[in-house]
Amino acid sequence: MKSTSGWKEDWNGTNESGFNGLPVGGRESSGSYGLSLSLGSWWSSSQSDSNNAWARYLYYAFSFVSRHYYYKAGGFSVRCLKD
């Protein structure tokens, strides 16, 4: 799912899925930004509880997608799909 370029330390992916995930980092709930070359993060449409929502992550050193919940006050990418 990772893009074939742009990732930290040449940990690029193969993009076999066609998702083309880029490492754009995220926004902390405090307002600071970070991990711009190390992490790709996307909100899901699923809420964890009233303060948190589920997100999917791609990390530069791993070849799998992980799922975690995070404060809604943070900021991640959104993937829009056309029906």
Side-chain angles (χ1 to χ4, degrees):
M1 294 186 75
K2 290 193 299 188
S3 64
T4 58
S5 64
W7 287 86
K8 180 179 178 178
E9 300 176 14
D10 295 323
W11 283 84
N12 298 314
T14 61
N15 192 32
E16 291 177 26
S17 68
F19 184 79
N20 201 36
L22 295 168
V24 296
R27 180 184 171 273
E28 300 289 334
S29 56
S30 65
S32 63
Y33 291 85
L35 300 172
S36 62
L37 294 178
S38 303
L39 179 76
S41 51
W42 296 265
W43 287 119
S44 79
S45 59
S46 301
Q47 182 171 263
S48 173
D49 58 41
S50 62
N51 295 316
N52 300 289
W54 290 102
R56 298 289 181 163
Y57 299 89
L58 292 172
Y59 187 64
Y60 82 100
F62 302 137
S63 59
F64 55 86
V65 178
S66 60
R67 177 182 182 243
H68 301 281
Y69 62 87
Y70 197 77
Y71 296 115
K72 293 178 186 177
F76 298 140
S77 299
V78 176
R79 177 94 172 186
C80 298
L81 301 175
K82 182 179 179 181
D83 281 339

